[in-house]
């Protein structure tokens, strides 16, 4: 009876793997994990659970694909475009809320002209990309940079990150249209989760900086470090994240080129060139290590 409970819990952990992979190998993995000997265990060990989750992340990241480096590169580009658009939307919403808090209610048309139109088109581009309409998303990304700038140069003149978001995302989306036929697209649900993880990488330090004055700094520092460590734990298994995070950090660098000093933006932590350099180095390491594993497997 205990073996049935143990098998059920193993199968729950195997849901970390893609459905196709589970259909092909779940029974084989279960047999290996449980073995032939009778057991009184009712749950996997913590090490086994962590190993299975990381294994699922590696499969999602292309570790079991015939060409893992190609999966890493092309899906990483797609995820980077998604993350840039999502971060741009998030920053834009934050700025709109702040604009209304500081007098925007008395002149909502100005807020709509300066920020709202851009935000609406950017959201449409993000939705199109999530839905798999890459060509539509590319057109909308270009529109999000050009049309609102013609109507109002507020975002452009201030070099705000949400204006840079479609500028960075558009070439990534266009490049993604050239994805080889033997490289599958990133699974939609997985792409949304990866994007959420990248947003968390930006939000945790930004939230920590805002909380630093309200609570003990050491507690805030521990929370920030724990959040970044969790991201890196996932990213070292699903290395597409190391590719995808680069363009989001590029937003902070581009914003810094137009604005000196610290800002209260959500991108406050990555508002420095060193963070972009580190991100590029992580991406290079991801590609090199994946290629080395591919050669070893061959």
């Amino acid at each position: 009876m205990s073996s049935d409970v143990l098998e059920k819990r193993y199968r729950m952990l195997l849901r970390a793997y893609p459905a196709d992979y589970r259909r092909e190998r779940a029974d084989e993995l279960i047999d290996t994990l449980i073995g032939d000997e009778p057991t009184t265990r009712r749950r996997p060990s913590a090490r086994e659970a962590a190993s299975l989750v990381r294994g699922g992340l590696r499969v999602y990241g292309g570790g079991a694909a015939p060409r893992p480096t190609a999966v890493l590169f092309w899906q990483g580009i797609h995820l980077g475009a998604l993350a840039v658009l999502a971060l741009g939307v998030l920053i834009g919403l934050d700025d709109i809320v702040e604009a209304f808090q500081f007098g925007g209610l008395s002149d909502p048309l100005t807020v709509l002209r300066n920020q709202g139109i851009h935000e609406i088109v950017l959201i449409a581009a993000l939705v199109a990309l999530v839905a798999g309409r890459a060509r539509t998303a590319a057109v909308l990304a270009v529109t999000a940079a050009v049309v609102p700038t013609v109507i109002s140069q507020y975002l452009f003149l201030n070099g705000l990150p949400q204006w840079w978001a479609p500028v960075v995302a558009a070439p990534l989306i266009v490049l993604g249209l050239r994805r080889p036929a033997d490289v599958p697209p990133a699974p939609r649900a997985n792409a949304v989760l990866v994007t959420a993880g990248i947003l968390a990488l930006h939000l945790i330090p930004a939230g920590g900086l805002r909380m630093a004055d309200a609570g003990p700094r050491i507690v805030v520092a521990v929370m920030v470090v724990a959040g970044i460590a969790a991201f890196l734990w996932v990213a070292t298994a699903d290395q597409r994240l190391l590719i995808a995070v680069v363009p989001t950090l590029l937003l902070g660098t581009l914003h810094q080129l137009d604005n000196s000093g610290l800002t209260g933006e959500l991108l406050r932590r990555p508002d420095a060139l060193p963070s972009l350099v580190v991100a590029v180095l992580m991406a290079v390491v991801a590609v090199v290590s994946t290629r080395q594993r591919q050669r070893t497997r061959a």
Side-chain angles (χ1 to χ4, degrees):
M1 189 68 178
S2 59
S3 62
D4 293 338
V5 174
L6 181 61
E7 178 179 343
K8 183 177 179 180
R9 288 172 174 165
Y10 273 130
R11 289 192 182 278
M12 289 180 62
L13 287 170
L14 289 177
R15 294 185 69 83
Y17 290 78
D20 292 344
Y21 190 91
R22 292 200 307 271
R23 281 193 293 269
E24 293 178 5
R25 306 191 184 184
D27 292 338
E28 178 185 345
L29 287 170
I30 291 294
D31 290 341
T32 301
L33 290 165
I34 295 180
D36 297 328
E37 298 295 327
T39 180
T40 58
R41 290 191 300 136
R42 297 179 61 85
R43 57 176 49 85
S45 67
R47 178 178 294 182
E48 285 178 323
S51 179
L52 286 172
V53 171
R54 283 183 65 83
L57 292 171
R58 288 194 186 97
V59 173
Y60 271 113
R67 291 205 298 152
T69 307
V71 173
L72 174 73
F73 178 76
W74 290 103
Q75 290 193 6
I77 286 174
H78 173 74
L79 295 170
L82 271 175
V84 167
L85 290 177
L87 191 56
V89 167
L90 196 62
I91 295 168
L93 290 174
D94 185 63
D95 278 357
I96 289 173
V97 170
E98 185 176 345
F100 279 117
Q101 287 177 339
F102 292 94
L105 289 173
S106 62
D107 193 5
L109 290 179
T110 299
V111 175
L112 177 63
R113 185 179 69 251
N114 288 346
Q115 295 153 279
I117 295 174
H118 171 88
E119 188 72 7
I120 291 169
V121 181
L122 199 61
I123 290 173
L126 176 61
V127 171
L129 193 57
V130 171
R133 306 287 185 179
R135 287 180 173 82
T136 302
V139 172
L140 288 169
V142 174
T143 303
V146 174
V147 173
T149 303
V150 172
I151 296 171
S152 170
Q153 293 192 326
Y154 170 77
L155 297 178
F156 170 73
L157 292 177
N158 287 279
L160 296 183
Q162 60 265 43
W163 184 87
W164 283 108
V167 175
V168 173
L172 296 176
I173 298 170
V174 172
L175 180 60
L177 295 173
R178 300 180 62 85
R179 175 175 52 84
D182 64 336
V183 176
R188 187 175 303 171
N190 177 251
V192 172
L193 286 174
V194 168
T195 302
I198 294 175
L199 292 180
L201 176 68
H202 290 276
L203 287 171
I204 290 171
L209 287 169
R210 292 175 178 179
M211 292 169 55
D213 295 334
R217 290 181 180 272
I218 189 168
V219 174
V220 174
V222 169
M223 291 174 60
V224 170
V225 170
I228 294 174
F231 175 85
L232 291 175
W233 185 85
V234 174
T236 52
D238 184 352
Q239 294 183 331
R240 297 173 306 168
L241 274 75
L242 301 180
I243 303 291
V245 76
V246 174
T248 65
L249 291 170
L250 179 59
L251 295 187
T253 301
L254 291 171
H255 177 59
Q256 185 191 33
L257 293 176
D258 285 341
N259 298 272
S260 59
L262 294 176
T263 72
E265 305 287 345
L266 289 174
L267 284 177
R268 184 174 177 178
R269 181 191 60 82
D271 252 356
L273 185 59
S275 64
L276 178 61
V277 173
V278 170
V280 171
L281 289 175
M282 288 193 302
V284 170
V285 169
V287 172
V288 171
S289 64
T290 301
R291 288 183 66 85
Q292 287 179 339
R293 284 200 306 269
Q294 184 177 4
R295 288 171 184 159
T296 302
R297 190 173 66 178

